[in-house]
Amino acid sequence: MKPLLQITNLTAGIGPVDLVRNITWTIRPGEHWVVRGSTGSGKSSLCSAITGKMHVRQGQIQYPYLGDNPSFDQRRSAVQMVSFTDTSRLFNPVETTHYYQQRYHAFDSEGHLTVREYLQLQGLDTENPEHQKILTSLGIDRLLDREQIKLSSGQTRKLLLVKALLHQPAILILDNACLGLDVGSVRVLYDLLEEVIRHGSISLIMTEPLPYVPGFITHELILHEGTRVDHYPDPPQIPEESQTAINTLIRHFQSTKFSKQPESMVRLEDIHVNYLDASILKRFNWKVLPGEKWALQGPNGVGKSTLLALIYADHPQVYSNNVYLFGQRRGRGDTIWEVKKRIGFSSPELHAYFHSKSSALDVILTGLEDRFQLLHPPPKEARQVALVLLIHVGKSELADRPFPTLSTGEQRLVLFLRALIKAPEMLLLDEPYQGLDDVLIQKCNQLIESVLTDRHTLIFITHRKEEIPANVTYQLNLTET
């Protein structure tokens, strides 16, 4: 039986940067692969190169099962990729622009594509029995008239799977498929993929990180620094310069001067947050005192990110609720920039809308101004702190790399460091370690545990208990209302 995909000596990259080098790989019918490797090893880049979304400098990508001269449309349909790193940009009609806070404005998204309209652009024919079967099996038939921007993360994943399956691909690539999913949702996704395999002649490729490798995976490909290797390399030793960097950062955080310490950092009283007919938070009360370190956990959709949006001045319903920040009720003349100035923040939504083409170092420095681009030249001392942050996590080589050339995990890492750059009195970290390997997570936690004093407040959201920094002493578990 002819191979589905044959890759020979593939080298590809963005601009002058080679992200994968000299890759040879063959995929045959019935095989299901996991692509493994540490953060920045080239997993997503390889997938992008296969699907024509990255410049191929040398090598060949062939589809033997399609014959000698497949058409462009045949090749494009043969391999479909669904990336879960940034769903916000996938549904914009030409005349419409999404903005960062828009997900919280339930009535501000009128005029955006409905699920039906989006899928029709992908070739959906609701009269086609095969298409109807795909819609029904994934539960999307009930959502056809809903605007895409109002879908939950789980519904969005199903929609993207439908989009890919409509093309009847021979190979389906799922890049970062489990990003942001709780344990229960991961099981649902894996069951769904097993169903897809059982009812169609399709091969799957999944990229790490994964909470665990599903049972239907038959083969693995391991990458290290953009090349294929035979085994997973040993984790690198933490260099001595990392400890020197930590000492510098400790001094930076200890020297930061705060305004008068308030009675409480956060006080939420009888909070109600509703979207149309859905209640996200109901009669919710919570108090965070100065210097406390909290972990927030709970399944997808219970309101964890909404809580942080209220605190970070991104949610419009803050003004219709009793939200007190730094001892003062919101809406009493304070601007969002006055609030943000005292907070370091990182989240998947921020990443989704971060379109900067600046260097990694400059992106970290944008945290000083809480904007997407630097408006003023930063002090020399701040540039040094940004570089020291990269040195500590072992990624100093990224300093001058343009943000778009970084891997998904590297981008998340840079945005995490961006939240720390001004040594803020309160840190809000919403799943900051998505896409990071265990070694990087260890380094980031060492950073948090070392630099945060009893004056610094932390609120940390994660689905994985093992990611919680050791200095976290309080935990809030949210459940569905």
Side-chain angles (χ1 to χ4, degrees):
M1 191 175 294
K2 291 185 178 180
L4 300 175
L5 184 69
Q6 196 156 338
I7 299 169
T8 309
N9 299 326
L10 176 69
T11 296
I14 298 175
V17 182
D18 287 344
L19 298 175
V20 291
R21 297 183 301 279
N22 200 33
I23 302 289
T24 295
W25 186 19
T26 301
I27 300 174
R28 296 177 174 82
E31 295 179 350
H32 306 290
W33 289 74
V34 60
V35 181
R36 306 184 62 203
S38 59
T39 302
S41 59
K43 303 180 295 292
S44 296
S45 298
L46 175 58
C47 295
S48 294
I50 293 171
T51 53
K53 297 178 180 178
M54 185 173 292
H55 177 61
V56 175
R57 306 196 201 286
Q58 67 180 40
Q60 287 186 317
I61 301 174
Q62 298 172 302
Y63 309 87
Y65 84 103
L66 291 176
D68 294 332
N69 295 299
S71 68
F72 173 79
D73 286 341
Q74 283 179 308
R75 285 183 279 118
R76 185 177 62 176
S77 295
V79 181
Q80 289 286 307
M81 181 168 79
V82 181
S83 175
F84 298 100
T85 58
D86 176 9
T87 59
S88 67
R89 304 176 211 173
L90 299 178
F91 307 94
N92 297 25
V94 174
E95 71 279 4
T96 305
T97 302
H98 290 178
Y99 55 90
Y100 168 49
Q101 293 93 345
Q102 184 166 328
R103 66 177 296 218
Y104 303 114
H105 293 248
F107 301 101
D108 202 15
S109 55
E110 300 302 324
H112 290 269
L113 288 177
T114 64
V115 170
R116 185 190 306 275
E117 290 167 339
Y118 174 71
L119 290 177
Q120 284 174 340
L121 292 174
Q122 309 301 321
L124 173 67
D125 177 3
T126 52
E127 302 300 319
N128 184 320
E130 287 300 314
H131 289 191
Q132 189 60 46
K133 180 180 177 182
I134 293 171
L135 292 175
T136 303
S137 65
L138 296 178
I140 295 298
D141 56 325
R142 303 187 298 273
L143 304 172
L144 289 175
D145 295 319
R146 183 176 299 185
E147 289 183 342
Q148 181 279 328
I149 198 174
K150 297 175 183 174
L151 298 182
S152 70
S153 59
Q155 290 167 335
T156 299
R157 275 174 163 75
K158 291 182 179 183
L159 176 58
L160 294 175
L161 281 174
V162 167
K163 170 202 168 187
L165 293 173
L166 287 176
H167 292 275
Q168 297 181 310
I171 296 174
L172 176 59
I173 301 173
L174 302 175
D175 186 28
N176 289 289
C178 297
L179 213 65
L181 291 184
D182 57 53
V183 175
S185 298
V186 170
R187 290 196 209 98
V188 170
L189 174 65
Y190 285 0
D191 288 346
L192 193 61
L193 294 177
E194 275 201 288
E195 194 74 16
V196 168
I197 292 170
R198 194 160 40 242
H199 289 91
S201 53
I202 190 171
S203 287
L204 294 181
I205 299 173
M206 302 182 73
T207 63
E208 283 190 324
L210 300 171
Y212 59 94
V213 176
F216 53 76
I217 293 295
T218 59
H219 295 72
E220 69 174 14
L221 179 144
I222 305 172
L223 296 178
H224 178 62
E225 296 182 351
T227 61
R228 185 173 184 177
V229 294
D230 294 330
H231 61 276
Y232 212 99
D234 295 330
Q237 297 295 315
I238 297 178
E240 290 184 13
E241 62 185 29
S242 180
Q243 186 57 51
T244 303
I246 276 287
N247 294 334
T248 300
L249 294 169
I250 288 172
R251 290 193 295 271
H252 174 58
F253 270 74
Q254 289 177 338
S255 65
T256 306
K257 292 182 172 60
F258 298 153
S259 52
K260 182 180 178 182
Q261 191 174 71
E263 178 269 332
S264 66
M265 301 296 281
V266 177
R267 193 165 94 245
L268 307 178
E269 297 181 351
D270 201 31
I271 298 296
H272 289 73
V273 175
N274 303 292
Y275 297 139
L276 299 178
D277 56 348
S279 178
I280 307 300
L281 294 170
K282 189 174 182 180
R283 294 192 298 275
F284 181 81
N285 294 274
W286 188 35
K287 189 175 184 179
V288 178
L289 299 180
E292 289 184 343
K293 315 292 191 288
W294 284 81
L296 265 61
Q297 292 195 281
N300 294 114
V302 295
K304 302 185 300 295
S305 297
T306 298
L307 272 181
L308 261 58
L310 287 169
I311 298 169
Y312 193 57
D314 279 339
H315 202 298
Q317 294 189 41
V318 67
Y319 300 109
S320 60
N321 278 285
N322 294 321
V323 176
Y324 294 82
L325 298 180
F326 309 109
Q328 183 176 356
R329 183 172 176 178
R330 283 303 321 278
R332 297 287 175 85
D334 53 335
T335 69
I336 64 170
W337 302 112
E338 289 172 325
V339 173
K340 292 177 185 293
K341 185 168 63 174
R342 304 174 69 174
I343 298 174
F345 178 75
S346 177
S347 76
E349 287 73 32
L350 178 70
H351 184 201
Y353 287 89
F354 210 97
H355 300 281
S356 176
K357 295 181 181 178
S358 300
S359 69
L361 194 71
D362 282 348
V363 167
I364 293 172
L365 289 164
T366 63
L368 295 171
E369 301 178 357
D370 305 299
R371 299 180 186 274
F372 285 10
Q373 298 289 340
L374 281 172
L375 298 183
H376 308 96
K380 180 180 178 181
E381 296 78 9
R383 296 194 75 85
Q384 184 60 32
V385 170
L387 183 57
V388 169
L389 284 167
L390 283 170
I391 289 172
H392 166 67
V393 295
K395 292 289 184 178
S396 57
E397 73 276 6
L398 301 182
D400 296 324
R401 284 263 302 273
F403 190 71
T405 70
L406 306 184
S407 73
T408 298
E410 288 170 338
Q411 290 182 354
R412 289 283 169 91
L413 175 66
V414 166
L415 293 177
F416 164 73
L417 300 179
R418 175 184 182 269
L420 292 169
I421 183 65
K422 62 185 175 186
E425 52 191 302
M426 182 156 63
L427 263 178
L428 306 179
L429 302 177
D430 186 353
E431 298 194 66
Y433 300 157
Q434 284 186 0
L436 272 61
D437 60 54
D438 290 341
V439 172
L440 271 177
I441 291 173
Q442 178 188 352
K443 290 179 179 178
C444 291
N445 271 345
Q446 182 193 12
L447 184 57
I448 288 177
E449 293 157 10
S450 300
V451 303
L452 296 190
T453 70
D454 57 6
R455 300 183 307 148
H456 297 95
T457 304
L458 171 67
I459 301 176
F460 187 98
I461 293 179
T462 181
H463 288 301
R464 299 174 59 197
K465 289 184 178 180
E466 57 269 29
E467 290 183 354
I468 298 175
N471 55 346
V472 168
T473 55
Y474 298 89
Q475 187 155 324
L476 176 64
N477 291 300
L478 296 182
T479 57
E480 296 181 6
T481 57

